[in-house]
Every structure is written in structure tokens, then in C-alpha cells.
Amino acid sequence: MWMFDWAGWVIEVMALAFIGVIGVVALLVVVMFVVDRSQTGDAIRRNYPVIGRFRHIFTELGEFFRQYFFAMDREELPFNRAQRDWVKRAISGKGNTVAFGSTRNVAVVGTPLFVNAAFPPLDDQFAKSEPMVIGAAARHPYEAQSFFNLSGMSYGAISKPAVTALSRGAKEAGIWMNTGEGGVSPYHLEGGADIVFQIGTAKYGVRNKDGSLNDDKLREVAAHPQVKMFELKLAQGAKPGKGGILPGAKVTAEIAAIRGIDEGEDSISPNRHIEVSNFDELLDLVAHIREVTGKPTGIKTVYGSDAPFRELFTLILQRDEAPDFITLDGGEGGTGAAPLPLMDLMGVTIKEALPEVANLLREYGLKQRIRLIASGKLMVPGDVAWALAAGADFVTSARGFMFSLGCIQALKCNKNTCPTGITTHNPRFQKGLVPEDKYKKVARYAKDIVKEVELIAHSVGVPEPRQLRREHVRLVQDSGKSVPMDVLYPLRET
């Protein structure tokens, strides 16, 4: 009998609990109704109390769900599902073949189509890409092993486990790693990869308190044998004319010490180097950094028109003094945080800029003296092969490597809430990124890019990727017909 009493008591408690929950929910609905009706900041919530809140919830969730349910394979921006899936297959180590046919719409204007050779070289006639020397006139020239490398991502903008995994993966793949403008951290160094130290407008890691360049700190950085080159950043594609932005929430004590800034405060770089207001001063600074460090020194910039490049190249010939390389970023380049007008509207895309700058280097007889590095959404083999054919000596990617780390394109890079632990310093999220696993995926991604670009080169009939030329690529026009790239962008020699 007592068992029936006990069961009845449990049912009664559960019923009361259920009624209590319903009561609390009803109370919350009433409170939200009153709040929504009373507030004046949101017309939807005022006119549709409680129900109007779902609009905001669905808007937030839409960032996550659109890539799974609503966007087709080739629709989503900034990177579509087909691109992300290529990276996913590459990092799996299980092969990167697909079945049934391409989902790519080859009628889209600007689509590159590679010209297959009637008689491609046999497998034993096909060569691996050769190393290339940068800064032959520097005291310590750099022989870069790979044409595909890791673009700038700062420690601070990305997390400790992310930097660690990238460093180890870059070493494993034999590629260089760019520090980004946030200075060199122990995590950049610990993997053993070759490093390009980027000097942004705030001179993080090599600055005095007033933001000017500190030569002693510059020598300390150059003393690391892993640091092979220095890149003076003038502009990046996502925000030409605007300095870097690091929210105070990401400025930990460690990051503040590495950068030489104040802990917990927003760090906003100047929009240009304070000591550079013309091309004469730019060449002076490049020469100074090369002299202090003894290592190849170049610049990173964005193409807007040919006039500034002509002015620079003319001055180079007059002074007989040049940067060792130019990293050209496209207006579609990425970043963790930038004003929308600059991200959307400023700077020319890499597809237009790269052939133009490559032509200018040839026109002024500087092709062999200044290496050209292409950057800006070049993260799958076809884009990398196109860039080499257009005139690049090297290609770098940041976001491709972010996908290799597990990025899901949640667009939370600037909020310290990245769900994959890549762009956050919150330990809760960072624990999901395990460097011991991710570095292998980073390496596989880089190796697969190189392998498949070599495959494209083989198919067009050249033995290695740097022998790709503009005549090997056709670009689709608005008529639906494709035209050879060397017709659209004919080479201009001296």
C-alpha cells in the first residue's frame, strides 16, 4: 500500500513542479510584454511584444544556420561550402577527389579556366617546384622552399593554441609563417617554422613608447635564426588607410608585454607609419630595417591605381634601392575587425591588381629584383595556380589556414567568442582547439595545395607551377565566351 502512496506523492510533486514552471514562464511572458510595450528603442518589439524578440534570435542564429540549410554550394560569402569542403577533404588525409561532376557555374564572369595540354609531360618528366631566393643583396638572403605560405595573423587576434598549431604545421609543411603585426610570440617560435616578422604601423614588438621604431628591439627579433624576413605593412586589403584594431578584451598581460602596450585597453594602430609620408621616406625606412637586421625587407600594400606604383618604381630606379619583395593584398582580403565601408568598398581585388602590378614590375625591369607575393582569398588550388600564372612568385593565405584549424565562418572574430577557439582568449572556447591534432591538419592543407597546383601545372603542359603563364588561363567574359588572360592582360616588358 505504501508504494501506491509514494507513487501518488511523486506524481503530485511532479504536477506541482510542472504548474510552477508554467507559472514562471507565464510570469516571464507578462514581464517581457510589459517591457517590450514600454521601451521605445525597438519598433518591432513595441508593436509585437514578446513575439518580436524571435526576430532577433533568428537573426543571430542565421549566421550559423545559413551555411548548412539555406546557401547552395557556391553561393555563400566570403567563402562558400565548396571551398570549405575542399579544405576539409585536404586536412582529412583521405584524398581529395569528388564524384559526379563539378558544381561550379563556369558561366560566371571572371572564372579562370586552365588550358589543358594536348600532350602533357609524363609523370617522370614532372618536377617539384623549386626554392626561390628573396633578397639576394641582403646580408642574409632567404631561400624560400614553398610557393604557398602562411599569411599574417597576429598573436592577440588569434589565440595561443591557434598560433602554436600554425607554427608546428608550417614547420611540418616546409612553409613560412608571417607573424602579423602583433609581434613575435614564443608560440610563433616553438614550432620551428621559418618566420616573416611583420612591422605594422604601431611597430608592435619593436616600438618605443611613442610608437617609433626601436632599433635595439629590432636587432633582438632579427637575432632569432627562425626570423628570415621583415615585412613593413603599409596597408591590408580589408581596411586600406586604417590601422589594426585589437579590442581591449583580447589585450592580456602577456600580449601587452609582447606588443609593448597597456593591458586591457583597446589597441588601435595609426593609419600609416608616422615616419613615412612619401616614397623617399618609405625607401629610407626599408633600407634602414634591412641594414639593422641584415635580412630581406619588403612591403605589404593594396593596389588602388597604377600611379603610386609608377612613382615608387621610378624612384627605385633613380635611387637604385628597392624593397626585396612586395606583398600585394586584394581589396577582398580578410581581418578580424574593420569598418564595413573599407571592407566592402576600398581597394582593388587581387584578380585585377595582380596582373597590373606584375606588368609594372616587368615594364620597369624590376621583375627579378623584387619578388611579388599575392594575397587575398587565394585559398584553393585553382586560385593559387591562377596567381602564379598572373605573375606572382609566391602566394600566401590566412583564412585557408583558419579553415584548416576548424574555423566554421561564424563571423565572431572581433567578439572574443569564437566557438572554435581560434580568435578568442576565453579558455572555455580555446580548449576545443588542440594543437597536437590541428598542426597535422595545417600541414596537410599546405601540402595538398602544393600537390594540386602541381597537378594543374602538369595538366597544362609545364613541369612545375612557376612556369605557369597567362596563356595557360582563359577568363570567362559576360558574353559567355572565355578569352586568354594574356590577351586581356598582355605582358609589358622594358
Side-chain angles (χ1 to χ4, degrees):
M1 191 70 178
W2 65 271
M3 291 183 61
F4 292 106
D5 292 340
W6 181 82
W9 178 80
V10 170
I11 292 171
E12 185 177 349
V13 169
M14 292 177 63
L16 289 172
F18 178 75
I19 293 170
V21 169
I22 294 297
V24 170
V25 170
L27 179 61
L28 286 174
V29 169
V30 171
V31 170
M32 287 190 289
F33 184 93
V34 172
V35 170
D36 289 349
R37 264 304 186 209
S38 303
Q39 60 84 37
T40 58
D42 189 324
I44 296 294
R45 285 170 51 202
R46 187 173 176 84
N47 291 335
Y48 302 95
V50 183
I51 295 174
R53 291 173 179 262
F54 285 94
R55 174 182 176 274
H56 300 279
I57 294 171
F58 292 148
T59 298
E60 290 293 319
L61 291 176
E63 290 185 5
F64 296 97
F65 288 144
R66 66 180 175 213
Q67 61 180 297
Y68 306 116
F69 301 123
F70 309 120
M72 299 297 286
D73 278 356
R74 303 280 180 172
E75 286 182 344
E76 193 182 1
L77 295 173
F79 294 95
N80 61 49
R81 184 184 296 130
Q83 292 170 311
R84 298 195 310 272
D85 284 350
W86 185 90
V87 177
K88 184 178 179 179
R89 290 192 300 271
I91 66 178
S92 72
K94 298 178 181 178
N96 212 341
T97 58
V98 294
F100 204 68
S102 173
T103 61
R104 187 172 197 176
N105 181 1
V106 295
V108 174
V109 175
T111 298
L113 303 172
F114 292 88
V115 180
N116 56 292
F119 304 100
L122 297 171
D123 288 339
D124 59 0
Q125 298 171 324
F126 183 50
K128 295 286 185 182
S129 55
E130 294 291 325
M132 177 176 277
V133 173
I134 305 176
R139 293 198 302 274
H140 305 287
Y142 175 44
E143 186 176 68
Q145 299 300 306
S146 174
F147 60 78
F148 183 68
N149 297 279
L150 176 52
S151 189
M153 288 186 281
S154 304
Y155 176 53
I158 63 175
S159 65
K160 171 184 171 180
V163 174
T164 302
L166 291 170
S167 175
R168 295 181 187 178
K171 173 64 175 178
E172 178 83 7
I175 66 175
W176 80 56
M177 177 187 196
N178 190 308
T179 62
E181 62 183 294
V184 64
S185 72
Y187 319 114
H188 287 105
L189 297 169
E190 75 172 51
D194 290 348
I195 288 175
V196 177
F197 184 92
Q198 187 181 89
I199 303 175
T201 56
K203 313 291 194 303
Y204 293 132
V206 290
R207 62 183 264 133
N208 294 306
K209 262 297 184 186
D210 63 358
S212 59
L213 187 64
N214 184 308
D215 286 355
D216 290 333
K217 292 180 180 178
L218 192 60
R219 291 187 187 94
E220 287 178 19
V221 172
H224 292 293
Q226 288 172 239
V227 176
K228 303 297 185 181
M229 300 197 297
F230 288 81
E231 180 180 78
L232 188 67
K233 190 177 91 166
L234 306 182
Q236 69 181 95
K239 47 186 175 184
K242 179 70 175 176
I245 304 169
L246 184 66
K250 289 187 173 185
V251 184
T252 63
E254 181 184 39
I255 289 166
I258 290 170
R259 295 194 177 205
I261 56 178
D262 295 324
E263 179 183 356
E265 296 185 10
D266 291 349
S267 183
I268 302 175
S269 305
N271 63 323
R272 69 167 173 83
H273 291 274
I274 57 176
E275 58 273 85
V276 177
S277 58
N278 55 56
F279 286 118
D280 256 316
E281 293 174 347
L282 172 62
L283 292 181
D284 287 343
L285 184 56
V286 168
H288 177 77
I289 294 170
R290 187 194 293 116
E291 176 58 31
V292 170
T293 65
K295 297 185 177 181
T297 304
I299 61 174
K300 179 176 183 176
T301 191
V302 178
Y303 180 92
S305 73
D306 67 347
F309 286 88
R310 288 187 178 279
E311 183 180 350
L312 172 61
F313 294 164
T314 299
L315 186 61
I316 285 171
L317 295 178
Q318 291 173 357
R319 292 181 48 157
D320 192 26
E321 199 167 48
D324 296 303
F325 62 90
I326 293 175
T327 301
L328 186 67
D329 201 7
E332 69 275 53
T335 186
L340 188 62
L342 298 186
M343 191 178 287
D344 280 355
L345 304 172
M346 193 68 64
V348 173
T349 68
I350 195 68
K351 297 289 186 181
E352 181 180 352
L354 181 58
E356 293 293 344
V357 175
N359 271 356
L360 288 169
L361 286 171
R362 289 182 178 276
E363 182 180 334
Y364 283 81
L366 296 170
K367 170 64 178 170
Q368 298 305 315
R369 186 170 182 179
I370 301 175
R371 301 304 187 194
L372 184 56
I373 304 170
S375 182
K377 288 186 76 172
L378 303 171
M379 58 161 276
V380 291
D383 293 336
V384 175
W386 167 86
L388 295 175
D393 297 303
F394 300 91
V395 176
T396 61
S397 175
R399 287 175 288 179
F401 284 96
M402 289 179 70
F403 285 124
S404 76
L405 287 173
C407 172
I408 62 169
Q409 200 167 265
L411 308 182
K412 301 291 184 183
C413 306
N414 59 332
K415 298 179 180 178
N416 205 30
T417 56
C418 170
T420 59
I422 299 171
T423 63
T424 178
H425 296 286
N426 187 326
R428 173 194 166 197
F429 298 117
Q430 283 189 4
K431 68 181 180 182
L433 200 166
V434 181
E436 291 74 17
D437 171 72
K438 296 297 185 183
Y439 90 88
K440 299 174 186 175
K441 296 181 177 181
V442 168
R444 286 188 200 122
Y445 167 66
K447 290 177 179 179
D448 235 41
I449 286 278
V450 171
K451 176 184 175 183
E452 296 207 1
V453 173
E454 289 175 343
L455 180 68
I456 292 172
H458 196 187
S459 294
V460 304
V462 297
E464 68 110 344
R466 284 206 184 93
Q467 292 188 30
L468 286 165
R469 297 293 181 264
R470 296 182 188 186
E471 60 263 29
H472 295 132
V473 185
R474 300 177 68 90
L475 300 175
V476 176
Q477 304 301 293
D478 54 9
S479 64
K481 182 180 179 180
S482 65
V483 177
M485 187 161 64
D486 62 328
V487 173
L488 292 170
Y489 299 99
L491 288 175
R492 298 195 298 266
E493 301 289 351
T494 310

